[in-house]
Amino acid sequence: MWSRTFAGLVLGFFAAIAVCGAIAYMTPAGWQTAAIPVIALFPLVWLGLFAVVYASRTAARAWVGIGATTVVAWAALLLARTVW
């Protein structure tokens, strides 16, 4: 139980940062305009990732799943910063 909580707390936090950053960069108005709504969206994304972590069967699957999500989210953020 604590392992899942720690995975959601640490990796979920970094994944939520990357997802929200990628959303901010991909908005047509620019990231400066989308910064405040994305900041408001951040806790919901983080709580959603917590829900996904607790929905996994084992703690190892939770770590692998949230780790892969974090890597993909950071890749999306770096791609969004490069393209937009």
Side-chain angles (χ1 to χ4, degrees), residues 3-44:
S3 180
R4 289 181 191 175
T5 302
F6 193 68
L9 188 69
V10 175
L11 291 179
F13 177 77
F14 288 113
I17 286 175
V19 167
C20 290
I23 289 171
Y25 273 104
M26 289 190 282
T27 55
W31 69 268
Q32 296 91 353
T33 306
I36 297 299
V38 167
I39 289 172
L41 181 69
F42 174 77
L44 298 175

Side-chain angles (χ1 to χ4, degrees):
M1 184 68 126
W2 286 106
S3 180
R4 289 181 191 175
T5 302
F6 193 68
L9 188 69
V10 175
L11 291 179
F13 177 77
F14 288 113
I17 286 175
V19 167
C20 290
I23 289 171
Y25 273 104
M26 289 190 282
T27 55
W31 69 268
Q32 296 91 353
T33 306
I36 297 299
V38 167
I39 289 172
L41 181 69
F42 174 77
L44 298 175
V45 173
W46 196 10
L47 288 175
L49 290 171
F50 257 109
V52 169
V53 166
Y54 284 114
S56 62
R57 289 185 182 191
T58 63
R61 285 187 181 187
W63 276 98
V64 169
I66 199 76
T69 302
T70 303
V71 169
V72 169
W74 276 98
L77 174 62
L78 294 176
L79 182 65
R81 285 187 64 185
T82 304
V83 172
W84 279 276

